[in-house]
Amino acid sequence: MSTIVVDCLEYSNPSRERFVEWREGGVGCVHVTVAVWETARETLSVLGRWNDLFAENGDLVALATSAQDIRDIVASGRTAVMFGFQNTAPFEDDIRLVRVFHDLGVRIVQLTYNTQNSIAAGCWEDDDAGLSTHVGRQFVRELNEVGMLIDLSHCSERTCLDTIAESSVPVAVTHANPLEFVGSAVELGRRPKSSEVLEQLTARGGVVGLSPYVRMLKNGIRTTEQEFVDMISWTVDRFGVEHVAMGTDFYTGYGVEAVKWWRMGRWGRESPVPIDESAPVVEWPAWFQSPTAFPTLMDSMRRAGFTDHDLGLVMGGNWLRLFDEIFDRPSA
C-alpha cells in the first residue's frame, strides 16, 4: 500500500525551513497547533498568519480540512496542514464558537491543556474531577456534531475515561506514550496514558499517536531509535496495529518565553513543572532531530518486522481512517 505519513502533532514555529523539512522527510500531513491559551481574537490572528504562509509557500503546503484533502494535497507533491487546538481556551466557554472555528478550518481539539478548565480536568491536577457534567458533556456533543476530532493528550485519567464513554464517535490521543511501557507518570509530567485509557479508547475505534519527545520516553534523551521502535511494537501488540500511529510533538524555533506561555499562560507566575532557563528549550534524541528522520525510522521498523501494510497503517493510514470517520459526518 502507498504510505502517506501523518504526524498528528507538531508545534514548531512555522516557516519555509520547516516546510522544506516536511518535504525532505516525506511527511504528507502535519496537524499543527494554532492555539493553547489564546483567546478567540488572538487565535484569529494566528489563523491569519497561516493564511499568509499558505500564500507564500503554496508550492510546499496547503490547508486540509478532510482526509480527501490530505490525499489530494499529497498527490500534488505538497504537505497538508491540519489546524488544531491544544486547549478549548479559544472557545471562551461559548459553545457557538465551536462551529465558527470549524468553519475556519479547525479540525482537532484537545479538551484541556494540563490544568482544570470549565470543560474538564488536565493531567497536572491532583484532584481529578474528570469531564464536567454540564459544560463538558455539551461541548463533547457539539464537537461530535460539527465533525471535530477530540484529543485527550494532556487530559487527566478520569477526563479521558469520561470522554471516551460520552463521545458518540471515536476520540484520539494525538501525542502521548503508554504509561505501562515508559514508566512513572509523575516523573514524566503525568503525560503518558494508562493501559485502561488506551484499552477503552482503542476498543471504540480511537487512535494513539506515539512521540519521541524526551519527557515521555523511558530513557529520556538517551532513548535509542531501536528502543522507540520497541515501544511502537509493544503498543501494536497490546492494542492492535489499527490503533497505533505517530504524533511526534516536535517543536523548534522558540525561546524560553514560549515555554513559559505553554506551561502557565496568563494564569500563573510559576509552572507546576519547573522550567530550567539555563537548559536548552527542547532536546530531541540524536536519531530524531527533525521530521527529516521519518524515512530512517521507517527503515528501522521494517528491520524490526513491520510489513509494508503495517507501516502504511502506523505511519498514516490509521489517522486517515479516523479523519474519514470524524470529519465527513453530516453537519447537524
Side-chain angles (χ1 to χ4, degrees):
M1 64 186 295
S2 178
T3 299
I4 295 178
V5 175
V6 178
D7 188 347
C8 210
L9 199 288
E10 290 191 25
Y11 197 6
S12 290
N13 195 355
S15 67
R16 188 170 181 84
E17 181 181 1
R18 301 282 81 76
F19 306 154
V20 169
E21 286 177 347
W22 294 347
R23 172 174 283 181
E24 291 176 350
V27 182
C29 175
V30 179
H31 161 218
V32 301
T33 297
V34 296
V36 177
W37 303 108
E38 284 80 357
T39 64
R41 177 62 187 84
E42 290 167 338
T43 303
L44 292 176
S45 289
V46 177
L47 297 181
R49 182 189 177 200
W50 269 103
N51 284 341
D52 289 345
L53 288 165
F54 291 137
E56 295 161 3
N57 300 277
D59 58 323
L60 292 175
V61 292
L63 177 65
T65 60
S66 68
Q68 189 56 49
D69 282 350
I70 295 171
R71 297 182 182 101
D72 292 343
I73 292 166
V74 170
S76 75
R78 298 175 293 171
T79 299
V81 173
M82 185 160 285
F83 290 156
F85 295 165
Q86 283 206 63
N87 201 350
T88 47
F91 297 141
E92 298 184 3
D93 290 332
D94 184 345
I95 200 167
R96 292 156 188 83
L97 291 186
V98 172
R99 190 172 297 275
V100 169
F101 278 111
H102 179 273
D103 291 346
L104 294 173
V106 178
R107 287 296 180 271
I108 301 176
V109 173
Q110 192 168 265
L111 295 186
T112 180
Y113 189 78
N114 297 331
T115 59
Q116 177 80 46
N117 60 27
S118 60
I119 290 175
C123 61
W124 283 359
E125 300 296 344
D126 294 325
D127 185 7
D128 186 355
L131 185 69
S132 167
T133 302
H134 303 294
V135 181
R137 282 165 170 74
Q138 291 200 54
F139 268 85
V140 166
R141 289 196 294 271
E142 191 79 5
L143 292 164
N144 287 167
E145 288 174 5
V146 304
M148 285 183 173
L149 176 62
I150 295 173
D151 181 7
L152 302 174
S153 297
H154 287 251
C155 294
S156 70
E157 176 87 357
R158 182 175 167 189
T159 293
C160 290
L161 294 171
D162 288 350
T163 305
I164 293 165
E166 181 69 23
S167 180
S168 62
V169 295
V171 299
V173 168
T174 64
H175 57 296
N177 295 334
L179 176 62
E180 188 176 339
F181 185 91
V182 301
S184 172
V186 175
E187 291 178 3
L188 298 171
R190 303 184 182 181
R191 287 275 286 104
K193 297 303 178 186
S194 73
S195 290
E196 181 178 3
V197 164
L198 296 180
E199 285 167 359
Q200 294 296 324
L201 180 137
T202 57
R204 289 164 174 78
V207 174
V208 54
L210 303 181
S211 168
Y213 180 46
V214 297
R215 290 181 179 272
M216 289 194 292
L217 297 176
K218 181 187 294 185
N219 295 314
I221 192 68
R222 300 184 305 278
T223 299
T224 66
E225 185 178 59
Q226 183 56 54
E227 288 171 333
F228 187 77
V229 171
D230 290 344
M231 182 176 70
I232 299 174
S233 298
W234 183 93
T235 311
V236 163
D237 290 344
R238 189 77 159 75
F239 304 105
V241 70
E242 298 86 2
H243 303 286
V244 180
M246 294 296 299
T248 64
D249 205 10
F250 184 78
Y251 64 96
T252 190
Y254 296 108
V256 70
E257 291 306 315
V259 178
K260 291 179 180 178
W261 172 250
W262 302 330
R263 297 278 180 88
M264 53 193 173
R266 299 182 180 91
W267 56 263
R269 296 186 184 278
E270 60 182 26
S271 168
V273 175
I275 299 171
D276 181 358
E277 297 192 34
S278 66
V281 170
V282 65
E283 293 182 284
W284 294 91
W287 50 270
F288 198 95
Q289 291 291 299
S290 80
T292 61
F294 272 107
T296 56
L297 174 60
M298 293 170 69
D299 287 343
S300 294
M301 291 174 66
R302 289 188 184 94
R303 288 194 294 271
F306 282 85
T307 65
D308 286 344
H309 180 266
D310 293 341
L311 274 170
L313 293 177
V314 173
M315 283 294 145
N318 290 330
W319 286 129
L320 291 172
R321 183 266 303 169
L322 190 58
F323 295 167
D324 273 327
E325 181 172 355
I326 303 301
F327 303 152
D328 293 339
R329 289 168 56 79
S331 182

